[in-house]
Amino acid sequence: MTEVQQAVAARFDLRLERRRRLGQILAVVLFFSTLFGLLVLTSLMVDVVRKGAPWLDWQFLTSYPSRNPEEAGIKSAIVGSFWMMLLTALFSVPIGVGAAVYLEEYAPRGWFLRLIQLNIANLAGIPSVIYGILGLGLFVRFFALGRSLLAGALTMSLLVLPIIVISTQEALRAVPQGIRESAYALGATRWQVVSSHLLPIAAPGILTGIILALSRAVGETAPLVMIGALTFIAFLPESLLDPFTVLPIQIFNWTARPQEEFRGLAAAAIIVLMVFLFLMNLSAILLRNYYERHRPH
């Protein structure tokens, strides 16, 4: 090996060693960052469980809110959260999945499609309070729906629509192009390709995105505060135009009370909300694993 080659090899080894050291430093920094986040999260959860566990019983789950902490419960908030999630899914899932299928499989490629994609990506990053202002102006005042369950569900549908569209598009893009080409080669129409091949194969990713989007909707407070969701409701909504409350709103109300007992009630409601979100995320994982095992090949 000549001197020039030796010099080049030495410089290469030096750069490689620097990259290894930099990689090791970054790995340590990222490890401690993750550990710090986990410690903070664990401490918060321990504090919530410690304060809320004494208040968590069957009476708490089946009673209406009350000014007396010993009699207060979250029945109306649980029912309101259930209806809010159901109506939000009813409005947002068909529109979001349909829009994603059209944009990915039907829309002509060009600058207009790129503009739409850019705006959808921007909408997914807009703060949720902006959707609350939009819902207040559009559904509450313009359409005169008032502080109703329907107005809240439509507002939350706007919030989760970009997430559903983007996750559905990504799931469709993950389907191998050869499946489309093979189906077209056998004479299938575009709709037959979409309905019989693409959607069944992309179902795990689509369902995961939908459930995670609905999980975000269940835990949101700012949009519902903006449209005027009530903080104290001692009845269950009987129609779509009735007033409502949800768990995050009830938690927000209790944390604003000066009595220490209401902070314990808020912690108990946070535990219920966390369990609810955990079950939704667990269902997303189970559905994804099920469809991945039973997806068509």
Side-chain angles (χ1 to χ4, degrees):
M1 181 179 296
T2 63
E3 294 181 359
V4 176
Q5 292 175 333
Q6 291 178 351
V8 172
R11 287 197 299 270
F12 177 79
D13 292 339
L14 181 61
R15 289 197 299 268
L16 185 61
E17 184 63 26
R18 289 176 180 172
R19 291 178 181 176
R20 288 174 178 170
R21 287 200 298 267
L22 180 60
Q24 292 173 351
I25 293 173
L26 288 177
V28 172
V29 171
L30 294 175
F31 171 77
F32 281 104
S33 299
T34 304
L35 183 62
F36 176 76
L38 290 175
L39 290 175
V40 172
L41 178 61
T42 303
S43 63
L44 290 175
M45 293 184 66
V46 169
D47 183 64
V48 168
V49 172
R50 181 178 58 83
K51 292 181 179 179
W55 296 90
L56 195 59
D57 54 19
W58 186 249
Q59 182 269 337
F60 175 74
L61 298 176
T62 57
S63 299
Y64 292 105
S66 172
R67 291 179 175 85
N68 184 3
E70 287 73 18
E71 300 175 0
I74 55 173
K75 180 178 180 179
S76 58
I78 291 179
V79 174
S81 295
F82 173 78
W83 280 111
M84 180 63 60
M85 183 189 67
L86 186 63
L87 292 173
T88 301
L90 182 65
F91 295 141
S92 62
V93 172
I95 297 175
V97 174
V101 170
Y102 174 78
L103 293 174
E104 199 63 29
E105 302 297 329
Y106 288 89
R109 298 297 182 261
W111 66 269
F112 187 66
L113 178 61
R114 292 194 296 271
L115 180 63
I116 292 177
Q117 299 278 27
L118 178 62
N119 281 276
I120 292 175
N122 289 334
L123 288 174
I126 291 178
S128 59
V129 67
I130 303 300
Y131 288 99
I133 298 174
L134 176 62
L136 175 64
L138 183 62
F139 302 122
V140 176
R141 295 181 177 175
F142 183 78
F143 288 107
L145 296 177
R147 302 175 179 181
S148 63
L149 190 60
L150 182 59
L154 290 172
T155 302
M156 301 308 290
S157 297
L158 293 179
L159 174 66
V160 301
L161 259 177
I163 304 173
I164 295 176
V165 172
I166 292 174
S167 61
T168 302
Q169 283 188 282
E170 292 298 327
L172 292 172
R173 290 170 187 169
V175 178
Q177 185 64 25
I179 293 178
R180 297 176 175 85
E181 296 172 352
S182 301
Y184 288 136
L186 293 174
T189 63
R190 180 167 296 184
W191 173 244
Q192 288 174 333
V193 174
V194 170
S195 60
S196 300
H197 295 79
L198 300 185
L199 289 179
I201 295 175
I206 295 174
L207 288 174
T208 301
I210 289 172
I211 294 176
L212 294 179
L214 294 178
S215 298
R216 179 187 176 185
V218 170
E220 283 288 351
T221 307
L224 301 180
V225 171
M226 291 303 302
I227 68 171
L230 300 182
T231 58
F232 184 88
I233 288 188
F235 59 87
L236 299 180
E238 297 181 355
S239 71
L240 297 181
L241 298 179
D242 285 345
F244 72 102
T245 190
V246 292
L247 277 171
I249 294 291
Q250 191 63 66
I251 295 170
F252 172 78
N253 180 34
W254 280 337
T255 55
R257 296 292 186 90
Q259 297 94 330
E260 187 64 29
E261 292 83 359
F262 282 107
R263 287 177 172 75
L265 291 172
I270 291 173
I271 295 174
V272 175
L273 182 60
M274 287 193 303
V275 170
F276 190 49
L277 294 175
F278 172 78
L279 292 176
M280 290 188 66
N281 292 321
L282 179 62
S283 65
I285 296 173
L286 295 177
L287 285 172
R288 182 188 63 194
N289 294 339
Y290 173 81
Y291 279 102
E292 284 180 350
R293 290 195 304 268
H294 295 83
R295 69 167 56 183
H297 297 286

